[in-house]
Amino acid sequence: MRRSTDLIVIGSGSIGVPVALEFAKNGQSVLVIDSLASPGQGQDKKAIGGIRATHSDKGKIKVCQRSIEIFSHWKELYGREIQWESNGYSFPAYTEEDEKLLKDTMRIQTDFGLNITWLSPEEYRELNPGIRMGGLRGSTYSPEDGSASPLLFVHSAYFKAVECRAEFKFNEKVVGFRIENHKITRVKTNKGSYESANVLNAAGIYAKEISQMAGVDIPVEPDSHEAGITEPVKTFMGPMVVDIRKDMGSKNFYFYQNSIGHVLFCLTPEPPIWGADSRATSVFLPMIARRMISIMPMLTNLKVRRTWRGQYPNTPDGLPIVGKMEEPDNFFQAVGMCGQGFMLGPGIAELMYRIITDNLNPEDPEVLESFDLRRDFAREEVYR
Ligand SMILES: Cc1cc2nc3c(=O)[nH]c(=O)nc-3n(C[C@H](O)[C@H](O)[C@H](O)COP(=O)(O)OP(=O)(O)OC[C@H]3O[C@@H](n4cnc5c(N)ncnc54)[C@H](O)[C@@H]3O)c2cc1C
C-alpha cells in the first residue's frame, strides 16, 4: 500500500499548483490529483493574465500584494520566464457616478497602503495615447499592478514542484472520501484511493461537488465569461484599461497589451451566464469589439486571433473561501477565487501553508476573516 502523504491537493490549477510547490519546497510530501491531462487545464488557461492588488477588501489586497512580490521576482527565484510585466491598471471614468465610486474606493485602497493615484484626462492620455478623450473625467492608475502568462506560470510552478518531489496524478478524478472519526481517512478516485494527513479542495468550478463529498456546503458556482487575444503588435498601450460602465448585454470589460504585444480582452456578461458550458458564442466578439473601439478607436484594424469561454468560480460576495473546516477537521478549502484566481494563487499558496502547518502570522487572522466560510456573504467586493 502507498504511504500516506502530508497533503493531498484536489486540482492542479491556479491554486493547486502553487500550493503544491509551497509544500514541496518546505520538505512536505504532497500529492496533487487532477481529472484533466496536465496542469492548468481547468480555468487557469482561460485567464487573461491580469494581476492587481487594487481591490476593496483587506484580505484580497494583502494576498495579492504578496502575489505581486512573488510574480515580479519569479524569474530570479526560479529561473523561468512567466512574462511578468509591471504595466499597471487603470479605471477611466466617463460619468460623474463612476468618478465618485472610483475615488471613494481609492481612499480605502490608499488607506491599505496601495500605490494608486487619480490622473487628469491629459495625464492619462500620456499613458494610454489611444484613449477616447470625449467625456473622459480622469482615471485611476496603479503602477505596481501588472500581468503575466497564466500557463507559463502554472507550468513553471509545476516543474519546480516536481523537482522538489511533489507528486502529480493526471487523468484521475476524485469521486469520494472515506470519513472516520471526524477525519478524511481516504481520498477515493476513479483509479484508486489515497491516504493523507490533510486534504485541500482546490477544484475550482467543481469545488462545491468536492466539498459536498465531505458533507460541507459551499456557495461556489461557475459563472461564464468569454475572452480573446489579438495578433501581436508593437507596444502602444500602457496600463490595463478596465471600463466599469454597463452596456447592452454586458457589465464591465477590460483589456491590456501583454509583454510580447498581444492585446488580451475579457467582458462580464449581463445578465450573468451560469453553468459550465464552455462553447464560445458568436455574440461575444461583436459586443466587445464595439466597446473596445469606442473607448480606443485605434484598435479598429487589430486582428483577433482567437476567442474562448471559461468560468469564474464565483461566490456571492466576490471573495474566496479559504481555511480549515471544523468537520472533517483535516479538510481545507482554497476555493471561490472568482475572476482573480490567477493573481491570488501565489499569495494563497503561502497562506495555505501557514494555515495547515498551524503557523499563522499576525496579519493572517484578519485576512482569514474576509475569507471565512461562516461569513454572511452579504457585502460585495467593489470591482469583483
Ligand atoms: C475568461 C476568463 C478570464 C480570466 N482572467 C483572469 C485574470 O486576468 N486574472 C486572474 O487572476 N484570474 C482570471 N480569471 C479567473 C481564473 O481563471 C480563476 O479564478 C482560476 O483559474 C481559479 O483557480 P482554481 O485553481 O480555483 O481553479 P482551476 O484553475 O480551474 O483548477 C481547478 C482544477 O481542479 C480540477 N478538478 C475539478 N474537479 C476535480 C475532481 N473531481 N477530481 C480531480 N480534479 C478535479 C480541474 O480539472 C482543474 O484543473 C479568468 C477566468 C476566465 C474564465
Side-chain angles (χ1 to χ4, degrees):
M1 191 199 281
R2 194 177 192 286
R3 72 181 170 79
S4 172
T5 52
D6 294 318
L7 177 67
I8 285 181
V9 179
I10 303 167
S12 69
S14 306
I15 300 298
V17 174
V19 167
L21 171 58
E22 192 58 29
F23 275 74
K25 89 176 187 222
N26 283 295
Q28 306 251 329
S29 57
V30 53
L31 168 67
V32 185
I33 304 173
D34 201 295
S35 48
L36 298 175
S38 60
Q41 296 303 309
Q43 300 311 309
D44 180 82
K45 71 174 181 186
K46 309 283 180 78
I48 69 164
I51 297 167
R52 65 183 162 105
T54 41
H55 305 284
S56 64
D57 169 79
K58 179 167 183 181
K60 225 160 157 179
I61 291 173
K62 286 285 159 201
V63 169
C64 285
Q65 279 180 316
R66 179 61 192 142
S67 284
I68 288 176
E69 278 171 27
I70 299 169
F71 282 122
S72 59
H73 292 102
W74 189 264
K75 202 167 170 196
E76 294 137 63
L77 287 171
Y78 298 112
R80 282 177 190 269
E81 184 56 67
I82 59 164
Q83 289 173 0
W84 162 258
E85 177 97 338
S86 187
N87 38 354
Y89 262 63
S90 65
F91 287 63
Y94 285 89
T95 66
E96 195 180 338
E97 195 190 356
D98 286 351
E99 180 178 351
K100 182 175 176 328
L101 173 71
L102 291 165
K103 285 183 170 169
D104 287 349
T105 313
M106 254 179 65
R107 273 188 278 280
I108 306 172
Q109 292 165 329
T110 41
D111 284 351
F112 286 131
L114 290 168
N115 178 2
I116 181 163
T117 46
W118 185 258
L119 303 180
S120 69
E122 293 69 30
E123 286 169 325
Y124 184 53
R125 185 172 46 186
E126 301 274 305
L127 295 175
N128 268 333
I131 201 75
R132 180 165 68 79
M133 292 297 281
L136 182 64
R137 305 174 70 91
S139 175
T140 66
Y141 175 47
S142 47
E144 285 162 29
D145 293 335
S147 59
S149 158
L151 263 180
L152 283 178
F153 175 76
V154 86
H155 280 87
S156 170
Y158 164 72
F159 289 127
K160 192 68 204 171
V162 169
E163 234 174 86
C164 298
R165 299 178 179 278
E167 200 184 334
F168 285 77
K169 292 202 173 279
F170 294 111
N171 293 314
E172 189 159 342
K173 185 173 180 178
V174 172
V175 294
F177 298 129
R178 185 197 292 166
I179 300 173
E180 293 164 312
N181 296 325
H182 312 287
K183 287 198 187 304
I184 296 175
T185 53
R186 293 202 86 79
V187 174
K188 299 181 205 166
T189 72
N190 57 343
K191 294 189 178 168
S193 76
Y194 305 93
E195 222 175 84
S196 174
N198 299 297
V199 176
L200 173 67
N201 181 7
I205 60 167
Y206 299 105
K208 187 174 186 156
E209 283 91 317
I210 295 291
S211 199
Q212 274 164 352
M213 294 173 195
V216 182
D217 194 30
I218 53 169
V220 177
E221 301 292 342
D223 176 13
S224 286
H225 289 246
E226 286 179 83
I229 187 167
T230 69
E231 61 185 346
V233 291
K234 200 170 154 197
T235 300
F236 66 94
M237 274 188 77
M240 163 98 75
V241 175
V242 185
D243 186 342
I244 61 173
R245 286 174 294 174
K246 286 186 184 165
D247 199 3
M248 205 164 43
S250 61
K251 276 196 192 163
N252 58 35
F253 71 103
Y254 49 97
F255 61 98
Y256 77 103
Q257 190 175 24
N258 72 9
S259 66
I260 52 170
H262 304 272
V263 174
L264 288 114
F265 49 92
C266 187
L267 171 142
T268 304
E270 174 72 3
I273 304 169
W274 298 103
D277 185 348
S278 287
R279 287 171 299 175
T281 67
S282 55
V283 290
F284 163 70
L285 191 55
M287 191 187 287
I288 196 163
R290 190 178 44 76
R291 293 201 70 180
M292 284 168 69
I293 290 166
S294 86
I295 199 172
M296 200 175 266
M298 69 196 294
L299 297 172
T300 306
N301 294 316
L302 201 53
K303 291 187 183 65
V304 173
R305 277 208 171 154
R306 185 166 75 82
T307 62
W308 61 89
R309 178 169 171 186
Q311 291 82 28
Y312 292 1
N314 258 354
T315 59
D317 60 1
L319 294 172
I321 297 166
V322 178
K324 181 181 188 303
M325 298 298 98
E326 280 163 10
E327 184 73 40
D329 67 10
N330 62 343
F331 184 50
F332 297 82
Q333 311 266 12
V335 300
M337 299 295 148
C338 303
Q340 287 97 28
F342 170 56
M343 62 183 85
L344 286 161
I348 292 281
E350 290 188 351
L351 177 61
M352 214 59 240
Y353 181 74
R354 296 194 295 275
I355 296 171
I356 297 180
T357 57
D358 208 6
N359 196 16
L360 293 184
N361 72 29
E363 286 202 318
D364 288 340
E366 207 182 335
V367 170
L368 289 173
E369 215 176 291
S370 292
F371 301 166
D372 195 324
L373 174 60
R374 293 162 300 187
R375 67 187 187 264
D376 63 11
F377 291 93
R379 195 166 56 100
E380 197 166 354
E381 239 263 306
V382 179
Y383 319 121
R384 45 179 312 174

